[in-house]
Amino acid sequence: QQQVKQSPQSLIVQKGGISIINCAYENTAFDYFPWYQQFPGKGPALLIAIRPDVSEKKEGRFTISFNKSAKQFSLHIMDSQPGDSATYFCAASKGSGAGSYQLTFGKGTKLSVIP
Amino acid sequence: KAGVTQTPRYLIKTRGQQVTLSCSPISGHRSVSWYQQTPGQGLQFLFEYFSETQRNKGNFPGRFSGRQFSNSRSEMNVSTLELGDSALYLCASSLVRQGGNTEAFFGQGTRLTVV
């Protein structure tokens, strides 16, 4: 049972374009939704995160849009650059702040930004 | 501030052997989680430790075990290695924030190859 579904698996975007990655979740107990960026040979790095009481969060060129009723959230990368080429993972957790902490990840999206 | 340190970075083991991986969390972080990353299954939760206690365990066989020491350092052990255990093993260090978001920071991982 895949609790967090991520699409697309791979994405090719022109430099300066907008990259959009989508995720859908099933468990309504999830209350924290981070995105991670992973370069080859490195561990995932926290990029940006959102809680379900907020519909949008922006940090620099990265924006998360969140639709609680549809149980969907997405990452938008504006003005995409070749340095953004990496694998992106959406994730979800429940009960953050107390108790056991566990992330459920999507399968990942390999983003390639071409000059 | 030092990040999450995992040792060793690379390991090659033979089927049937056992292996121990080590993780030193960020100073002050008492929660340590372990994840297995493979191309087919993506990132999967193994277990989480907090103050030397295992609080949660993923859906992995009993060959996978772990422990946490009083200084928050953690080890995971895999016994009777199988070819399918070949993966990148990631450790995540978290600062539990009461009433706030718990952010997980990952190490670079240990690449285990079973031959």
Side-chain angles (χ1 to χ4, degrees):
Chain A
Q1 182 190 6
Q2 188 183 347
Q3 294 196 56
V4 179
K5 294 184 180 179
Q6 183 172 348
S7 62
Q9 268 189 305
S10 62
L11 182 62
I12 300 174
V13 173
Q14 289 278 141
K15 178 183 174 182
I18 303 174
S19 304
I20 302 174
I21 304 170
N22 300 300
C23 284
Y25 63 98
E26 299 168 2
N27 190 339
T28 55
F30 288 145
D31 63 357
Y32 179 61
F33 301 88
W35 284 87
Y36 284 84
Q37 178 189 56
Q38 186 177 29
F39 292 103
K42 303 288 187 182
L46 180 62
L47 198 58
I48 186 173
I50 197 168
R51 293 185 69 98
D53 52 350
V54 176
S55 61
E56 186 175 281
K57 183 175 181 180
K58 184 176 180 179
E59 288 184 3
R61 296 185 294 109
F62 300 91
T63 300
I64 300 178
S65 296
F66 190 87
N67 186 329
K68 188 175 180 179
S69 60
K71 292 188 286 185
Q72 295 175 346
F73 58 110
S74 60
L75 176 70
H76 291 63
I77 305 175
M78 313 299 286
D79 187 27
S80 299
Q81 299 296 313
D84 297 330
S85 297
T87 300
Y88 292 81
F89 294 92
C90 62
S93 70
K94 55 184 176 180
S96 59
S100 174
Y101 183 66
Q102 172 185 343
L103 286 165
T104 300
F105 284 89
K107 293 282 192 180
T109 296
K110 186 174 183 180
L111 171 66
S112 299
V113 181
I114 54 177
Chain B
K1 192 173 187 181
V4 180
T5 303
Q6 290 189 245
T7 56
R9 289 291 314 278
Y10 303 93
L11 266 177
I12 300 176
K13 290 286 187 178
T14 305
R15 270 182 301 175
Q17 286 186 314
Q18 75 164 19
V19 66
T20 299
L21 313 181
S22 180
C23 172
S24 292
I26 294 170
S27 178
H29 288 196
R30 293 162 62 191
S31 169
V32 174
S33 303
W34 288 89
Y35 293 81
Q36 181 195 63
Q37 185 174 24
T38 59
Q41 298 300 316
L43 283 146
Q44 293 187 289
F45 173 77
L46 280 157
F47 27 65
E48 188 238 359
Y49 287 87
F50 181 83
S51 293
E52 302 180 66
T53 301
Q54 185 183 90
R55 295 199 295 189
N56 200 3
K57 191 177 191 306
N59 189 25
F60 279 84
R63 300 184 297 106
F64 291 81
S65 62
R67 59 177 175 168
Q68 187 180 34
F69 302 95
S70 58
N71 61 358
S72 294
R73 191 177 70 85
S74 178
E75 289 181 346
M76 68 163 281
N77 183 278
V78 188
S79 63
T80 319
L81 284 165
E82 301 177 359
L83 294 178
D85 298 333
S86 295
L88 180 66
Y89 289 89
L90 292 158
C91 168
S93 159
S94 303
L95 180 64
V96 179
R97 305 176 193 273
Q98 289 295 328
N101 299 327
T102 300
E103 297 177 340
F105 299 90
F106 285 84
Q108 295 203 76
T110 294
R111 172 72 63 186
L112 172 65
T113 302
V114 182
V115 297

